[in-house]
Amino acid sequence: EAGLRSFNRRMPEEINRLLTDHASDILFAPTTTAIKNLKSEGISGNKVRLSGDVMYDATIYYKKRARRPKNLQKKFKKPFTLCTIHRAENTDDTTRLTAIVKQINQLARHTTIILPLHPRTLAALKLIKGAELDNSVQIIPPVGFLEMTWLLAECNLVITDSGGLQKEAYFHKKPCITIREETEWVELVDAGFNKLVSPFESNFLKIVDEMLKNFIPESSSLFGDGRAANKI
């Protein structure tokens, strides 16, 4: 993740990235935007290499090994939306989390939602009155990488606040809505594959509809050729 910047220093990983990048002797940047970020901070030259993203390598390698989650209902209506919410800024803020639950419940009236529920989110929901997820939302325990790969391959939309899942949605050629004010993966937003949406957005259903209607998957990748590990 050399050169990644969300420009939100409340995120612990943002501080980790800054410190690590400035202390490192060699930096493998996943995108050209990451290289520009490093250059603006005075880090350039032979120590910076454009490698592509190792997560893209992993997606290609493990796609054929994907596993259906054990806790998933045997039958559910397709198409479905894959949803994950876990960031502290969303789960630790009662107002934000209540608003996100409202958005999820709105969408659940129109399509199937599968929600692997993070322990942080589960604990937060138990403390908030009036923030119950609709019974139609299919809640399952957190899943491993191969199970998440299956869900990404089978869904038609991703709604998340995860940094990594934003990329994986793109790798699987699925539109993504990110419930955050900023992202470290600005390339995906600029290209229209990902859209940042506030928890308090009143036209949430309209945005979902527009994303599904207008989404055109890309044949190539913004994150290299799937050989980042070899290059590194």
Side-chain angles (χ1 to χ4, degrees):
E1 296 194 346
L4 287 199
R5 298 292 182 268
S6 68
F7 303 101
N8 177 1
R9 296 199 178 188
R10 290 170 298 159
M11 295 171 60
E13 56 265 58
E14 182 78 355
I15 302 300
N16 291 344
R17 290 178 192 130
L18 284 159
L19 292 170
T20 305
D21 286 352
H22 283 267
S24 296
D25 296 313
I26 186 164
L27 300 94
F28 295 105
T31 66
T32 54
T33 300
I35 288 178
K36 290 176 184 176
N37 289 338
L38 291 170
K39 191 173 182 180
S40 71
E41 295 173 14
I43 305 172
S44 60
N46 288 333
K47 69 188 297 185
V48 178
R49 307 292 177 89
L50 179 64
S51 62
D53 196 304
V54 291
M55 281 183 70
Y56 185 43
D57 296 22
T59 297
I60 294 170
Y61 185 80
Y62 285 106
K63 209 168 184 179
K64 293 180 181 178
R65 305 184 187 194
R67 291 197 298 252
R68 179 188 171 106
K70 293 179 181 179
N71 292 289
L72 204 59
Q73 292 175 7
K74 289 185 178 180
K75 290 184 179 180
F76 58 88
K77 192 175 180 181
K78 285 189 175 183
F80 74 86
T81 295
L82 172 62
C83 180
T84 73
I85 299 294
H86 79 280
R87 296 204 66 81
E89 65 202 66
N90 284 331
T91 59
D92 295 355
D93 185 317
T94 300
T95 306
R96 286 180 70 91
L97 186 56
T98 302
I100 291 169
V101 168
K102 184 179 178 181
Q103 289 177 335
I104 293 171
N105 288 343
Q106 275 185 332
L107 185 59
R109 299 187 191 107
H110 300 273
T111 189
T112 303
I113 294 180
I114 295 176
L115 173 61
L117 193 58
H118 194 283
R120 179 206 296 272
T121 314
L122 176 62
L125 287 172
K126 288 180 177 179
L127 299 175
I128 305 172
K129 290 183 179 180
E132 294 84 12
L133 287 160
D134 194 89
N135 290 332
S136 61
V137 178
Q138 187 175 160
I139 298 171
I140 61 174
V143 296
F145 180 73
L146 296 180
E147 288 80 13
M148 184 60 78
T149 299
W150 187 92
L151 290 167
L152 284 161
E154 296 293 325
C155 74
N156 74 326
L157 173 70
V158 175
I159 296 175
T160 190
D161 59 4
S162 163
L165 209 58
Q166 293 172 48
K167 277 190 304 177
E168 289 176 300
Y170 170 75
F171 298 156
H172 286 269
K173 304 184 185 302
K174 304 299 167 69
C176 182
I177 290 176
T178 300
I179 311 296
R180 282 166 56 181
E181 274 74 28
E182 76 287 306
T183 179
E184 51 275 72
W185 301 109
V186 293
E187 299 91 345
L188 298 178
V189 175
D190 292 343
F193 302 114
N194 184 12
K195 187 170 183 63
L196 297 174
V197 177
S198 165
F200 310 106
E201 172 59 58
S202 58
N203 292 318
F204 186 69
L205 293 180
K206 184 179 178 182
I207 290 171
V208 169
D209 188 53
E210 289 175 351
M211 280 293 287
L212 289 170
K213 284 182 178 177
N214 300 327
F215 181 75
I216 301 174
E218 195 170 44
S219 56
S220 59
S221 176
L222 294 167
F223 297 89
D225 57 7
R227 299 181 63 256
N230 291 338
K231 291 175 183 176
I232 290 169

